[in-house]
Amino acid sequence: MIKFETILNAMDEGVLIVNEENKIVYFNNAYGDFIGHPLEEVKGLILTEIRPGARMPQVLKTGKPMEVVFREEKGEEYFANIYPIFENGKLKGGISTVTFLKNAKFIMDTLKELEKKQSDLKERMRHTNGTRYEFQDIICQSSASIKCVEAAKKIAQSDISVLIDGESGCGKELYAQSIHNESLRKENPFVAINCAALNGNILESELFGYEGGSFTGANKNGKPGIFEIAERGTIFLDEVSELDYNLQAKLLRVIQERKIRRVGGTSEIDIDVRIICACNVDLMKYIEDKKFRKDLYYRISTFPLHLPPLRERREDIIPLVEKHLKVLGIQQKRNLSISEEAKMILYKYDWPGNVRELNNVLEYSTVVCHDNEIGVSSLPPSVLADWNKSDYHFKPLAEAVRLFEKEQIKKAVELYGGTVEDKKYIAEKLGISLATLYNKLNDQ
């Protein structure tokens, strides 16, 4: 049988035992080395005669333990756990264990790990709640937009990969954020990155993170990539077509294996993210030109979502104008408006830059307009250059507006149906009465 003293002397932690009078009964070698006295020299002495700052008297007086008491003494950092000893309900003494931080490797490792997790969490939190848009923010008066929103809502509840394609400025990130906010991942991060904005090496470290000292200028503690930051959330890869060809192979493996490896790292990290990609080019042409991997294309385009350009959904133009004018009015603290003729010119324009160009045109026009109303003269030359005036003078404005309203109502009926209940729903959405809807449909 191993002796009690032999067991305690094998420990790096110091152990002290006193009786109910706070007199030293026993301590092991580690504790003796710490206080600078052998047991034979101080056994039977009151503890506070040797260590005036000892907390043991308080424990003996209250009968309550003191745990994880951090102390620093003689250049040593340590923490102590102090417990009263009872026998048959009567206080018999106390025991204290002292753990020295220099020996507590597991504690230091834990602290480092906690520090790393805290740093990673801060990085994640920096991106959390970065979304601004939901489906209710999407203007969809046209049948084309309504179909896009309905399709996007259906796929939001699943985890399949989505490829959103469309011309520049038509709202691809708006749809990506809306899909995220409609999904079960909405409480977790949405992280967007533009693949065309960074070169291959920098983009790789941004996507997958890196270990400390992996390259010149790297953070000594390393850095998590967006796949870690977006854990249980969504990653939006904008302009994915411009992703470095070699990096495409690594992304393909990540999608297949659901694991990433940091730059300079040796271990693999499990990930749980949804990937939404976007592009404004013909990816099949890129594949033919050996600029994009076919296998990656099929992985990211499980559900392709095409966003039509603004010129193909003209019914959305005026509602977009009115919505953005409200935003600009709040920003500029002005009561902004737009003339009917200016509206018709904007409706006729083809918008090669789509919604982004529309917003820029309105911002320009609010600067140059008079009396807070945007008129024809307030529109930029680029818009007026394509204005064929004869088209507008051929029909009176009132007739043009009437035809526009009738066309919009007819398309709504085609989409939702022609029953009385369907028309009630359409009238409610358009903000008019059922009688007005019938009058506009029957108006010759």
Side-chain angles (χ1 to χ4, degrees):
M1 187 71 175
I2 302 175
K3 291 182 179 181
F4 172 73
E5 291 85 353
T6 303
I7 295 172
L8 294 183
N9 284 328
M11 297 171 61
D12 287 331
E13 291 82 1
V15 179
L16 163 73
I17 300 174
V18 300
N19 64 15
E20 68 273 18
E21 296 176 348
N22 198 29
K23 290 182 179 180
I24 297 172
V25 174
Y26 172 83
F27 55 70
N28 66 355
N29 291 341
Y31 192 88
D33 293 341
F34 171 55
I35 65 173
H37 296 281
L39 178 60
E40 296 77 15
E41 183 180 306
V42 296
K43 187 175 182 179
L45 296 180
I46 295 175
L47 177 62
T48 48
E49 293 179 356
I50 302 169
R51 303 193 62 233
R55 301 288 183 87
M56 182 65 79
Q58 184 178 345
V59 171
L60 295 176
K61 181 178 180 181
T62 63
K64 296 180 179 180
M66 298 180 68
E67 296 180 308
V68 196
V69 179
F70 183 78
R71 306 290 297 277
E72 183 175 357
E73 189 175 338
K74 299 178 181 179
E76 289 271 17
E77 292 181 329
Y78 66 93
F79 62 85
N81 293 316
I82 313 165
Y83 304 93
I85 301 173
F86 289 95
E87 185 177 28
N88 297 324
K90 186 177 180 180
L91 183 69
K92 289 295 184 178
I95 181 170
S96 174
T97 61
V98 177
T99 302
F100 305 100
L101 289 187
K102 66 180 181 180
N103 295 328
K105 184 177 184 303
F106 75 97
I107 295 175
M108 300 304 292
D109 290 344
T110 301
L111 289 174
K112 287 180 180 178
E113 183 65 22
L114 287 173
E115 183 181 356
K116 179 179 178 299
K117 287 183 178 180
Q118 184 182 38
S119 175
D120 291 356
L121 180 61
K122 286 181 179 178
E123 187 69 15
R124 288 189 68 194
M125 291 302 293
R126 187 169 66 85
H127 292 272
T128 304
N129 301 323
T131 59
R132 293 187 296 156
Y133 303 113
E134 298 179 353
F135 282 118
Q136 65 187 27
D137 298 311
I138 299 177
I139 296 295
C140 52
Q141 297 291 324
S142 68
S143 58
S145 294
I146 291 171
K147 289 177 181 178
C148 276
V149 169
E150 289 178 345
K153 283 183 176 180
K154 288 180 181 178
I155 60 174
Q157 299 303 317
S158 72
D159 264 352
I160 62 175
S161 298
V162 181
L163 175 62
I164 305 173
D165 79 278
E167 295 179 4
S168 179
C170 62
K172 293 184 284 293
E173 184 163 356
L174 185 152
Y175 270 83
Q177 289 189 17
S178 299
I179 290 171
H180 172 78
N181 284 327
E182 188 84 1
S183 74
L184 297 176
R185 296 176 178 268
K186 63 183 177 182
E187 300 299 330
N188 297 303
F190 174 92
V191 187
I193 190 166
N194 189 314
C195 298
L198 302 169
N199 68 39
N201 292 332
I202 295 177
L203 183 57
E204 182 178 7
S205 66
E206 286 293 315
L207 289 172
F208 308 127
Y210 59 82
E211 296 295 346
S214 303
F215 51 86
T216 303
N219 187 305
K220 65 178 182 179
N221 296 320
K223 180 184 176 183
I226 66 170
F227 274 98
E228 291 177 73
I229 293 169
E231 178 66 12
R232 296 169 61 193
T234 301
I235 288 177
F236 176 55
L237 301 177
D238 197 9
E239 296 195 63
V240 70
S241 56
E242 308 312 309
L243 193 65
D244 179 84
Y245 197 84
N246 293 326
L247 199 51
Q248 291 176 28
K250 294 185 178 181
L251 177 60
L252 175 64
R253 185 177 182 278
V254 168
I255 297 173
Q256 290 174 334
E257 304 297 331
R258 295 290 167 178
K259 297 177 184 289
I260 61 110
R261 182 181 296 168
R262 288 185 175 186
V263 175
T266 56
S267 59
E268 292 191 322
I269 302 170
D270 292 327
I271 57 158
D272 173 17
V273 297
R274 182 187 195 168
I275 298 175
I276 300 177
C277 298
C279 68
N280 55 18
V281 300
D282 183 354
L283 273 183
M284 297 308 295
K285 181 68 167 60
Y286 267 47
I287 292 171
E288 291 176 8
D289 295 340
K290 306 298 182 184
K291 295 168 64 177
F292 201 84
R293 296 178 63 101
K294 182 185 290 187
D295 46 7
L296 177 60
Y297 170 78
Y298 289 116
R299 280 289 182 179
I300 65 175
S301 63
T302 306
F303 193 100
L305 182 66
H306 173 70
L307 303 187
L310 196 52
R311 63 184 172 275
E312 293 179 10
R313 50 187 181 100
R314 292 188 183 274
E315 296 89 343
D316 296 339
I317 293 174
I318 303 306
L320 282 167
V321 168
E322 293 171 345
K323 180 180 179 180
H324 196 57
L325 272 186
K326 287 182 180 178
V327 174
L328 292 173
I330 293 171
Q331 292 174 351
Q332 300 176 18
K333 297 180 174 59
R334 299 165 65 189
N335 186 21
L336 296 169
S337 62
I338 182 170
S339 71
E340 290 299 321
E341 191 173 7
K343 281 184 183 180
M344 293 305 297
I345 294 173
L346 296 182
Y347 177 81
K348 182 72 174 179
Y349 183 63
D350 272 348
W351 300 109
N354 294 291
V355 180
R356 186 179 296 122
E357 183 186 8
L358 174 62
N359 292 342
N360 290 340
V361 164
L362 291 175
E363 289 177 25
Y364 168 91
S365 299
T366 60
V367 173
V368 301
C369 74
H370 301 288
D371 300 325
N372 294 333
E373 182 183 60
I374 297 174
V376 175
S377 62
S378 306
L379 299 176
S382 59
V383 173
L384 294 176
D386 289 344
W387 177 32
N388 186 341
K389 296 182 181 181
S390 62
D391 287 344
Y392 296 97
H393 291 292
F394 183 77
K395 290 180 182 177
L397 182 59
E399 183 181 353
V401 172
R402 178 178 63 80
L403 292 173
F404 167 75
E405 290 177 341
K406 188 172 183 179
E407 179 185 2
Q408 184 174 0
I409 293 171
K410 281 185 175 180
K411 288 188 176 181
V413 171
E414 289 174 6
L415 184 65
Y416 289 104
T419 67
V420 174
E421 290 301 318
D422 292 334
K423 290 176 180 176
K424 284 182 180 179
Y425 176 79
I426 293 168
E428 180 183 351
K429 287 294 182 182
L430 294 176
I432 60 177
S433 68
L434 182 61
T436 301
L437 185 141
Y438 275 109
N439 288 336
K440 290 183 180 294
L441 275 175
N442 297 326
D443 185 14
Q444 300 298 323

